[in-house]
Amino acid sequence: MTTEPRSSLEVERKYDVGDEASVPDWSLLPGVATVGAAEPRELDARYLDTADGRLAAALTALRRRTGGPDEGWHVKRSTPEGKLETHWPLDDADEAAPPDVPDAIVAELAEVAQPPFEVIARIRNSRTAFALLDAAGDLVAEFVDDRVTATDERSGRTSSWREWELELGPAAPASAAGVAELFAAADELVASAGGAPAASESKLGRALGR
């Protein structure tokens, strides 16, 4: 793998919702003028860790995901500001099952964990994504409606659920107060649809029962 990785900071809010919940009118959010067309995505991710959970202990997740505009390898680190994600695209040789972790990613994780890595969960997700745009057509946030099926590969336990996620984009409010106002408005819209802030902070955590 020779391609240079890309890094970004994810600032997002996740919500638990029922199977029959109706998607809110996101144009009611502060700064949102229009909502883009629905974009379906079929995602299939395998999450890896060491046998003794070194990555989880370091608040880090490693996955290989196919489908969607950012398919590839991802390393996610939890920070006080949000989740710092580093992404590498897939290459032609990257087809092993379970997947072999590329050397570049092994080096990226060297300070917190060493191989071997094993698959701990598989998460498949039928996602519908919507771009929330301001009056200039710039991305304030992306909203996704996820229907998830997960397998804990160590125990064999399977689970399924629906969740919503709102992730800030480049045209999101620049101030902490503006971000808080946007998320507060989103919380109200979700509550009106019968949803609530997610009980688990990540899909992987929920798949593993934590």
Side-chain angles (χ1 to χ4, degrees):
M1 179 177 293
T2 58
T3 304
E4 289 297 314
R6 294 184 288 106
S7 294
S8 59
L9 184 68
E10 295 181 347
V11 180
E12 61 189 16
R13 186 76 59 97
K14 293 179 181 289
Y15 301 97
D16 293 330
V17 294
D19 286 340
E20 304 305 319
S22 297
V23 172
D25 180 1
W26 293 111
S27 68
L28 299 175
L29 286 181
V32 175
T34 59
V35 177
E39 180 186 336
R41 302 170 185 170
E42 293 298 324
L43 312 177
D44 189 350
R46 288 173 171 81
Y47 288 77
L48 300 94
D49 202 341
T50 61
D52 56 356
R54 293 293 180 90
L55 293 180
L59 301 180
T60 299
L62 169 63
R63 75 180 176 206
R64 178 191 181 276
R65 188 168 74 185
T66 58
D70 65 342
E71 72 173 6
W73 287 91
H74 304 88
V75 171
K76 285 193 172 188
R77 298 176 173 89
S78 294
T79 75
E81 295 78 26
K83 290 185 178 179
L84 179 62
E85 178 176 293
T86 307
H87 166 251
W88 294 258
L90 301 178
D91 59 35
D92 292 340
D94 191 12
E95 294 296 337
D100 294 324
V101 180
D103 292 343
I105 299 173
V106 172
E108 179 80 12
L109 297 170
E111 291 186 0
V112 295
Q114 298 289 337
F117 297 102
E118 61 185 46
V119 177
I120 58 171
R122 182 179 184 182
I123 297 178
R124 284 166 283 189
N125 182 9
S126 291
R127 166 172 288 182
T128 306
F130 300 84
L132 311 186
L133 308 173
D134 64 13
D138 296 322
L139 185 67
V140 176
E142 181 181 64
F143 165 72
V144 296
D145 184 358
D146 289 342
R147 296 180 184 269
V148 184
T149 301
T151 302
D152 180 334
E153 295 290 350
R154 292 172 171 174
S155 70
R157 185 180 71 92
T158 61
S159 55
S160 60
W161 66 90
R162 185 184 182 194
E163 70 177 43
W164 292 343
E165 182 179 301
L166 191 68
E167 181 180 335
L168 300 187
S175 68
V179 169
E181 179 187 7
L182 187 149
F183 279 138
D187 290 351
E188 291 185 8
L189 288 173
V190 171
S192 70
S200 181
E201 75 169 35
S202 70
K203 291 181 177 65
L204 175 61
R206 184 160 180 174
L208 299 179
R210 61 177 191 237

